[in-house]
Amino acid sequence: MTLLADDVAPRSRLARVGLLAVVFVCAACGLVYELALVSLGSYLIGNTATQASIVLAVMVFAMGVGSLAAKPLQQQAVTAFAAIELALALLGGLSVLALYAAFAYLSLYTQALVVVAFVLGLLIGAEIPLLMVLLQRIRKQEAGSAVADLFAADYIGALIGGLCFPFVLLPVFGQLRGAIVVGLVNAIAGCFLVFVMFRKSLTRTGFAVLSVAAVAVIAVLVAALVYADRFEVTARQAMYRDPIVAAQRTQYQDIVITERRIGSDRDTRLYLNGDLQFASSDEYRYHEALVHPAMADAVARISESGSTSPSVLVLGGGDGLALREVLRYPDIRPTLVELDRAMIHLARTDPRLLGLNRNSMNDPRATIVTADAFTWLRQQHERYDVIIVDMPDADESATAKLYSTEFYSLVKAHSAPGGRIVVQSGSPYFAPKSYWCIGSTLRSAGLAVTPYHVDVPSFGDWGFFLADEGTPPKLHLRAPGPMRFLSEAELSAAAVFPLDRQPLEMPPSTLMDPRILRYAQGEWATY
């Protein structure tokens, strides 16, 4: 009897360790599914805070429902757990693919997100009660001790899954393939528990049915993994009018370049996270209006004083088009700060962008810095005669901080005495609250502003703010050569706003209260 007891105890401990290892893996997979939904939403829709709130709230609620729903399944815990894990692996693995398809083809992303998050939460919530039953079968122990073991494995697994998602899965596999890989891991872990550790608890029929289901789920996930890249290309193209000629998903954004022929010309367009950044047919209107009014006063002042050429800082503008306009001035040595290294590489190597930016990103006069503009400004002390803020619109949480009082205060601190600051500010026609909010935010940072707007056909009516620390600066030109669009007359007209688009008194946007984000998302949602 002693020998038998000694023999059983190690086996019991080994089985317990195996089950807790499965709990660890399942917890890691479950958290990755949550993070994948949040991450996808931030890419496709923006507003990470809203996406996270929807996913977490729905999933946590559904997990509670799933825990209750698992009560009647405890009599058939092994079979129920196997079915739940296979369903969870299939849905979790294909969740990103399904939601991307809903966004690209059906425009039903938010509705589909709620459904997917609820079902995933339901399945995840049913795991723990069933695993508790299986743990008790392996080794009789007090409920408190069993719960402690189970939740310890669960929480540690969640930690590993949470760290693996941004540092391993996204960089190595990307969004689509990463979720599918996790689904495969989830399926294999569930199969190990059922078919290896609890094989004797299954009837012959049950074993056969679950075996077929497991093979089918794994086969579907493997097929999805093989065809994921092809699907992504097809789905991405469905979202754009023109053929995609280059695409890359980085850790910061989704970069897409499209191109179509218009007679003998080509219209090249750059999109970041689905938002149009420029069209080659009229980008010169935007960039001439952005750069040259800010350069005029600095060039004139420095020329009159006989000092060196103005120092210029470009924040954003990784496509190199604003830098192209800056480099038209002689003896300029500008600095450009861009967050995404991949965007810089494209601007330096893609023949379409090189033709448009005139190789500005490879110009030896320019210093290109890869950094977050907010962080970089906090670490620098140099002052500049001209600062050009050419950031994407503030319709995402990540960019809203670049339209805050705190950010503009940093920009102001780096402006030389008498220097000029210009900020691209969106459309005063389509998004007037957002536009005038930027003006009030600049004023809250201690800057005097002059609003102006021009017509850019690809964007519509588009606005800017010219700012300095004294009185509102005047708009005029000191062009380094012939302009394609901008003139003194055009610039004078740009300062006039029609009666139906008069200035609005808006509160400023701050880091703690990013009003600009709410305004931008609300106003652009109707277009």
Short mmCIF file of all heavy atoms in Angstrom, two decimals, residues 41 116 144 149 162 191 257 303 365 404 410 416 434 437 445 464-465:
data_model
loop_
_atom_site.label_atom_id
_atom_site.label_comp_id
_atom_site.label_asym_id
_atom_site.label_seq_id
_atom_site.Cartn_x
_atom_site.Cartn_y
_atom_site.Cartn_z
N GLY A 41 -8.67 48.16 -33.21
CA GLY A 41 -9.56 49.31 -33.20
C GLY A 41 -8.82 50.63 -33.24
O GLY A 41 -9.24 51.58 -33.91
N VAL A 116 -18.08 40.10 -31.20
CA VAL A 116 -16.89 39.27 -31.04
C VAL A 116 -16.37 39.35 -29.61
O VAL A 116 -16.03 38.33 -28.99
CB VAL A 116 -15.80 39.69 -32.04
CG1 VAL A 116 -14.47 39.00 -31.72
CG2 VAL A 116 -16.22 39.34 -33.46
N GLY A 144 -9.91 26.99 -1.03
CA GLY A 144 -9.09 28.20 -1.04
C GLY A 144 -7.74 27.98 -1.67
O GLY A 144 -7.25 28.80 -2.44
N ASP A 149 -4.03 28.49 -6.42
CA ASP A 149 -3.18 27.92 -7.46
C ASP A 149 -3.68 28.30 -8.85
O ASP A 149 -2.91 28.67 -9.72
CB ASP A 149 -3.16 26.39 -7.34
CG ASP A 149 -2.39 25.91 -6.12
OD1 ASP A 149 -1.61 26.72 -5.56
OD2 ASP A 149 -2.57 24.75 -5.72
N GLY A 162 0.43 39.54 -22.00
CA GLY A 162 0.45 40.98 -22.19
C GLY A 162 1.77 41.52 -22.67
O GLY A 162 1.83 42.46 -23.46
N CYS A 191 -6.18 20.78 -26.42
CA CYS A 191 -6.11 19.37 -26.85
C CYS A 191 -5.20 18.55 -25.94
O CYS A 191 -5.50 17.40 -25.61
CB CYS A 191 -5.61 19.29 -28.29
SG CYS A 191 -6.82 19.88 -29.50
N ILE A 257 0.30 53.82 -49.79
CA ILE A 257 0.47 54.73 -50.93
C ILE A 257 -0.36 54.17 -52.08
O ILE A 257 -0.23 52.99 -52.44
CB ILE A 257 1.94 54.86 -51.35
CG1 ILE A 257 2.78 55.41 -50.18
CG2 ILE A 257 2.07 55.78 -52.55
CD1 ILE A 257 4.26 55.45 -50.46
N SER A 303 17.86 88.83 -42.82
CA SER A 303 18.52 89.51 -43.93
C SER A 303 18.82 90.96 -43.57
O SER A 303 19.89 91.49 -43.88
CB SER A 303 17.63 89.46 -45.18
OG SER A 303 17.44 88.13 -45.59
N ARG A 365 22.03 68.98 -46.15
CA ARG A 365 21.79 70.14 -45.30
C ARG A 365 20.80 69.85 -44.17
O ARG A 365 20.75 70.57 -43.17
CB ARG A 365 21.24 71.30 -46.14
CG ARG A 365 22.22 71.87 -47.15
CD ARG A 365 21.53 72.87 -48.05
NE ARG A 365 20.53 72.23 -48.92
CZ ARG A 365 19.63 72.89 -49.65
NH1 ARG A 365 19.58 74.22 -49.58
NH2 ARG A 365 18.79 72.23 -50.43
N SER A 404 -2.02 69.98 -27.70
CA SER A 404 -2.36 70.37 -26.32
C SER A 404 -1.62 71.63 -25.91
O SER A 404 -0.61 72.02 -26.52
CB SER A 404 -1.99 69.24 -25.36
OG SER A 404 -0.59 69.03 -25.34
N LEU A 410 5.85 73.79 -24.98
CA LEU A 410 7.19 73.30 -25.32
C LEU A 410 7.67 73.91 -26.63
O LEU A 410 8.84 74.30 -26.76
CB LEU A 410 7.17 71.77 -25.44
CG LEU A 410 7.17 70.96 -24.15
CD1 LEU A 410 6.97 69.48 -24.47
CD2 LEU A 410 8.48 71.15 -23.39
N ALA A 416 12.89 81.05 -31.06
CA ALA A 416 13.83 82.15 -30.82
C ALA A 416 13.06 83.47 -30.71
O ALA A 416 11.93 83.57 -31.18
CB ALA A 416 14.84 82.22 -31.95
N SER A 434 -12.87 71.93 -33.99
CA SER A 434 -11.49 71.45 -33.89
C SER A 434 -10.52 72.55 -34.29
O SER A 434 -9.50 72.78 -33.62
CB SER A 434 -11.28 70.22 -34.79
OG SER A 434 -12.20 69.20 -34.50
N CYS A 437 -10.45 75.37 -31.76
CA CYS A 437 -9.88 74.85 -30.52
C CYS A 437 -8.36 74.91 -30.56
O CYS A 437 -7.70 75.22 -29.56
CB CYS A 437 -10.36 73.43 -30.27
SG CYS A 437 -9.63 72.64 -28.81
N ALA A 445 -1.16 78.78 -24.50
CA ALA A 445 0.27 78.56 -24.29
C ALA A 445 1.06 79.87 -24.35
O ALA A 445 2.30 79.84 -24.29
CB ALA A 445 0.81 77.58 -25.33
N PHE A 464 -4.75 76.91 -41.10
CA PHE A 464 -3.47 76.97 -40.40
C PHE A 464 -3.54 78.09 -39.37
O PHE A 464 -4.41 78.97 -39.43
CB PHE A 464 -2.32 77.26 -41.38
CG PHE A 464 -2.30 76.37 -42.59
CD1 PHE A 464 -3.06 76.67 -43.72
CD2 PHE A 464 -1.52 75.22 -42.62
CE1 PHE A 464 -3.06 75.85 -44.83
CE2 PHE A 464 -1.50 74.39 -43.72
CZ PHE A 464 -2.27 74.71 -44.84
N PHE A 465 -2.59 78.08 -38.45
CA PHE A 465 -2.39 79.20 -37.53
C PHE A 465 -0.93 79.59 -37.57
O PHE A 465 -0.04 78.73 -37.40
CB PHE A 465 -2.79 78.83 -36.10
CG PHE A 465 -4.26 78.84 -35.85
CD1 PHE A 465 -5.00 77.66 -35.90
CD2 PHE A 465 -4.93 80.03 -35.58
CE1 PHE A 465 -6.36 77.66 -35.68
CE2 PHE A 465 -6.31 80.03 -35.35
CZ PHE A 465 -7.02 78.84 -35.41
#
